[in-house]
Amino acid sequence: MAERIYLASPHMGGGEQAYLQEAFDTNWIAPLGKHVDELERQVAAYVGAGYGAALSSGTAALHLAVKAAGVGPGDVVFCPSLTFAASCNPIKYEGAVPVFLDSDPDSYNLSPEALELALKRWQPKAVIVVDLYGQAADMEPILALCAGRGIPVIEDAAEALGSTYRGKKCGSFGQLRALSFNGNKIITTSGGGMLLCDDEETAKTARFWATQSRDPAPWYQHSQLGYNYRLSNICAAIGRGQMEVLEERIRQKQAIYERYEAGFAGIDGVRMMRRMPYGEPNCWLSVLELGGRIAPGQVIEALAAENIEARYVWKPMHLQPYYQGCEFVTARREGSAAEELFAKGVCLPSDTKMTPQQQERVIRLIRGLF
């Protein structure tokens, strides 16, 4: 059996060990310490945010963002349907009601037209916007629609660290933003995430909630509900090393996309997920649209037989068993873009350790199906 080709896996740069050794040498093996503070500062400065709160996961960051937006029981929160469950589950954590919105068929992200239509029916407490697969949503019309109604925007940039929209980094849009450093992301802390904002008090409150909301008292006292969400100093040390290679990883991901784009040129009805002209994606995952001639499952099975990992595009949330009965809004007459993208999209191996020769093998296998 040939060597495994992964969808996306951790890729160490070499500098991580020095930061880890410093944490061990100083005995800071805890959810606080120098590396946590420095990672918050470094990531916030890179993205262009005022403050960061380093947390145990991107999900934790989204949860605290929803909470910080004032979302509570019975409130309506908009979220794109074509996304990972972590984008919308925090809505339910706070007892609120998700309303799912359709996608733009080119960017895969929240459709401004669907948002405008939904705003005629509801006044949501917040709108969650996802930068899917490393490509920015079209933020200008989304932010304009929400600002005119006083609705806070939460940017889920979990997959989009290093991507840009009109010259600004993803993770810098809206009142509250979330990043993920999960093992499959463009850089990793093994597990982890970060809440970003421009208000110091919000960042302090997030850190307070993330450390069990322990009051400043001489004993353990809690006047608010808290969570065990703070990032370990050990994980933050890995993250500091990973930040040193972030730009290299972005270039590698973009090169992977470009090789796929060239490799599948000329196949009728097949295209790569489009790179939108309003920004520069980090190409975290390269997505191939099959156009109906070949089903995603056929590609995934053919690659799996050769020890190559691929996966379906996210199954839309409005089709998930748990979210049955939730409202779904589309501005399209010809059907849901989210459902169409799920039906014809496949996420291809986008691992930065994959060699060009291995990628050429992936391309040949897929072309052989047509």
Side-chain angles (χ1 to χ4, degrees):
M1 179 67 74
E3 183 180 356
R4 178 76 163 163
I5 300 176
Y6 290 97
L7 183 77
S9 66
H11 190 174
M12 296 295 100
E16 296 85 0
Q17 290 185 351
Y19 293 109
L20 282 167
Q21 190 61 54
E22 195 274 345
F24 277 96
D25 289 345
T26 58
N27 202 38
W28 281 102
I29 316 298
L32 74 167
K34 170 184 174 181
H35 296 310
V36 174
D37 297 340
E38 283 299 306
L39 185 65
E40 288 176 341
R41 181 197 61 76
Q42 189 174 9
V43 172
Y46 175 83
V47 169
Y51 304 92
L55 303 169
S56 57
S57 66
T59 306
L62 284 163
H63 181 197
L64 296 189
V66 168
K67 187 177 177 73
V71 173
D75 288 334
V76 168
V77 178
F78 291 171
C79 181
S81 186
L82 189 69
T83 188
F84 180 48
S87 300
C88 56
N89 284 349
I91 301 170
K92 299 291 284 186
Y93 297 167
E94 292 302 308
V97 180
V99 170
F100 295 112
L101 308 187
D102 203 5
S103 302
D104 173 84
D106 290 325
S107 75
Y108 287 43
N109 288 313
L110 179 66
S111 161
E113 292 77 18
L115 173 61
E116 187 171 18
L117 186 61
L119 286 169
K120 294 177 180 179
R121 294 181 58 189
W122 295 279
Q123 172 73 13
K125 190 72 174 181
V127 173
I128 297 171
V129 182
V130 182
D131 302 317
L132 207 64
Y133 299 127
Q135 177 150 257
D138 192 1
M139 296 300 299
E140 279 187 359
I142 293 170
L143 290 171
L145 284 165
C146 292
R149 296 165 174 80
I151 303 166
V153 170
I154 298 169
E155 183 190 8
D156 177 357
E159 301 170 356
L161 181 61
S163 303
T164 63
Y165 176 81
R166 302 199 186 282
K168 289 183 62 179
K169 289 285 198 306
C170 290
S172 65
F173 296 93
Q175 287 83 349
L176 299 148
R177 293 87 78 174
L179 298 174
S180 172
F181 306 129
N182 189 38
N184 64 357
K185 296 301 185 290
I186 196 159
I187 63 167
T188 184
T189 58
S190 86
M194 191 172 292
L195 174 68
L196 297 166
C197 60
D198 296 321
D199 175 66
E200 185 176 13
E201 194 58 38
T202 299
K204 286 181 178 178
T205 300
R207 296 186 193 113
F208 171 69
W209 287 335
T211 48
Q212 298 290 12
S213 296
R214 183 182 175 186
D215 293 331
W219 44 75
Y220 283 90
Q221 177 171 297
H222 310 273
S223 56
Q224 296 184 46
L225 181 65
Y227 311 90
N228 185 18
Y229 279 174
R230 207 69 165 103
L231 186 69
S232 158
N233 197 52
I234 289 291
C235 292
I238 298 171
R240 291 189 68 192
Q242 287 276 281
M243 283 296 292
E244 294 177 355
V245 295
L246 173 56
E247 293 302 318
E248 180 183 355
R249 297 290 175 262
I250 293 170
R251 290 191 294 271
Q252 290 171 317
K253 291 280 192 179
Q254 291 172 339
I256 288 169
Y257 174 95
E258 289 161 8
R259 285 194 290 269
Y260 279 134
E261 189 173 47
F264 296 122
I267 304 178
D268 187 45
V270 170
R271 74 172 193 181
M272 296 297 295
M273 174 183 173
R274 290 182 180 173
R275 293 172 67 167
M276 302 303 291
Y278 54 60
E280 188 70 21
N282 67 12
C283 298
W284 172 62
L285 287 186
S286 290
V287 180
L288 180 66
E289 291 182 27
L290 298 167
R293 292 175 56 192
I294 298 291
Q298 292 173 267
V299 172
I300 292 167
E301 289 173 11
L303 294 178
E306 298 295 326
N307 204 26
I308 300 168
E309 184 182 12
R311 76 177 184 202
Y312 290 89
V313 167
W314 299 121
K315 182 177 180 178
M317 289 298 107
H318 73 277
L319 301 181
Q320 298 286 349
Y322 180 76
Y323 287 108
Q324 282 185 356
C326 289
E327 296 275 3
F328 172 70
V329 178
T330 179
R332 303 178 83 208
R333 294 182 179 179
E334 64 274 24
S336 159
E339 292 181 34
E340 289 180 13
L341 293 169
F342 172 58
K344 65 184 182 182
V346 58
C347 299
L348 300 176
S350 305
D351 195 277
T352 50
K353 298 185 301 301
M354 177 176 59
T355 66
Q357 293 75 25
Q358 288 175 317
Q359 188 177 358
E360 182 57 36
R361 182 166 155 251
V362 173
I363 293 168
R364 286 198 309 270
L365 285 166
I366 295 174
R367 287 192 69 99
L369 297 174
F370 290 89

